[in-house]
């Protein structure tokens, strides 16, 4: 499935690239306006990297909370009931 | 699937979950409970890494096998005992190496043609931000009260 032989139009590429722009969070899009495809790809890479870091960080925080959450709290009961279903 | 804006731009503390977000939540919470049951309390780092793997696994299962990135994530997770965590692949010359950095970040990106890479990136980014939103929501509700 290498895509060789299928003619991809510039328009298709531009469409896909601008779709990536719409997926960026507001804070990253703010001063953008119309940017080059390569700038957009760079920004997307930076965004994906920050999301990976967030997953990493949130995993550690969840790990810490697992031991400290009061097992009698309403939150714990909600989670328990969700997990039972 | 909710297509209005990015998850990160919505400060709503109680986001309404569409059906796909709900499935993601159930899968992830179920995986969390398994990690909780099976990881000794004495190894928080190990637990953190297991939670991280659970995050990517539930993301990939929710996306299904129709996406190249989710198949790549599941392959990587199932083979992790035999491979290093990050194994850099040599870039295929037929695919060219446009958007090299992106290919390294999107699972399965190395062998894709440029067009597919852009499509997969969009889907992967959306799912990743949903997973982050979910995890943040759980952290917020677990730490807000009940102390």
């Amino acid at each position: 499935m290498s895509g060789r032989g299928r003619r991809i139009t510039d328009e298709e590429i531009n469409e896909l690239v601008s779709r990536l722009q719409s997926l960026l969070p507001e804070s990253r899009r703010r001063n953008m306006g119309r940017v080059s495809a390569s700038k957009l790809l760079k920004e997307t890479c930076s965004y994906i990297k920050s999301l990976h870091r967030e997953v990493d960080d949130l995993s550690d925080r969840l790990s810490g909370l697992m031991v400290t959450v009061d097992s009698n709290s309403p939150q714990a009961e909600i989670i328990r009931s969700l997990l039972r279903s | 699937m909710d297509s209005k804006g990015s998850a990160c731009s919505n400060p709503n503390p109680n986001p309404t979950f569409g059906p796909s977000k709900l499935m993601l939540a159930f899968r992830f919470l179920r995986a969390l409970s398994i990690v909780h049951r099976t990881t000794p309390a004495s190894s928080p780092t190990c637990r953190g890494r297991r939670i991280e793997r659970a995050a990517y696994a539930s993301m990939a299962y929710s996306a299904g096998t129709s996406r190249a990135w989710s198949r790549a994530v599941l392959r990587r997770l199932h083979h992790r005992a035999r491979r290093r965590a990050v194994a850099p692949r040599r870039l295929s010359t037929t695919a060219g190496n446009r958007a090299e950095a992106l290919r390294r970040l999107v699972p399965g990106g190395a062998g894709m043609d440029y067009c597919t890479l852009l499509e997969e990136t969009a889907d992967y980014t959306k799912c990743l931000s949903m997973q982050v939103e979910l995890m943040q929501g759980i952290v917020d509700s677990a730490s807000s009260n009940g102390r």
Side-chain angles (χ1 to χ4, degrees):
Chain A
M1 215 176 71
S2 72
R4 284 186 98 186
R6 173 185 164 218
R7 198 157 301 136
I8 303 164
T9 61
D10 283 346
E11 211 174 288
E12 269 181 290
I13 298 281
N14 289 338
E15 180 118 2
L16 288 170
V17 170
S18 65
R19 195 173 142 212
L20 285 181
Q21 184 168 13
S22 70
L23 288 174
L24 293 174
E26 196 57 49
S27 53
R28 284 175 184 263
R29 255 184 298 163
R30 208 169 14 226
N31 301 315
M32 262 202 165
R34 284 186 65 81
V35 291
S36 69
S38 84
K39 172 121 200 285
L40 202 44
L41 292 185
K42 232 186 242 175
E43 194 59 38
T44 302
C45 283
S46 159
Y47 180 45
I48 293 177
K49 273 193 266 204
S50 79
L51 288 173
H52 285 164
R53 278 195 302 268
E54 280 196 75
V55 172
D56 189 352
D57 176 61
L58 288 166
S59 297
D60 286 334
R61 289 171 70 187
L62 280 173
S63 170
L65 284 168
M66 253 184 193
V67 271
T68 64
V69 70
D70 176 4
S71 56
N72 291 323
S73 69
Q75 285 69 36
E77 185 46 46
I78 289 169
I79 293 181
R80 268 196 294 266
S81 68
L82 275 173
L83 294 169
R84 272 196 291 266
S85 53
Chain B
M1 197 107 141
D2 184 19
S3 60
K4 283 176 76 165
S6 153
C8 301
S9 61
N10 181 5
N12 183 358
N14 293 308
T16 46
F17 285 102
S20 54
K21 282 188 184 180
L22 201 51
M23 277 318 300
L24 186 68
F26 278 139
R27 273 206 179 84
F28 182 57
L29 286 170
R30 193 171 54 204
L32 274 186
S33 113
I34 293 170
V35 171
H36 184 43
R37 276 204 316 270
T38 60
T39 317
S42 55
S43 42
T45 316
C46 174
R47 192 168 49 234
R49 291 315 101 225
R50 284 192 183 182
I51 292 174
E52 189 175 18
R53 277 199 297 276
Y56 285 106
S58 49
M59 239 177 84
Y61 278 118
S62 296
T65 50
S66 61
R67 285 289 172 190
W69 71 260
S70 55
R71 292 195 299 270
V73 168
L74 293 175
R75 266 198 309 272
R76 205 189 284 170
L77 286 171
H78 290 144
H79 292 137
R80 76 180 170 83
R82 297 201 317 242
R83 299 168 58 162
R84 281 185 8 247
V86 181
R89 281 190 53 185
R90 191 161 293 129
L91 289 169
S92 153
T93 49
T94 52
N97 49 19
R98 247 191 302 185
E100 231 183 285
L102 196 56
R103 291 181 185 282
R104 280 194 291 267
L105 287 171
V106 176
M112 291 174 191
D113 65 84
Y114 188 56
C115 203
T116 307
L117 176 66
L118 293 178
E119 286 172 344
E120 289 284 323
T121 300
D123 195 68
Y124 179 61
T125 307
K126 209 163 35 164
C127 292
L128 201 47
S129 75
M130 261 172 53
Q131 180 66 37
V132 165
E133 183 191 10
L134 170 63
M135 291 170 86
Q136 186 68 63
I138 295 173
V139 166
D140 286 347
S141 69
S143 28
S144 58
N145 29 24
R147 211 81 67 88

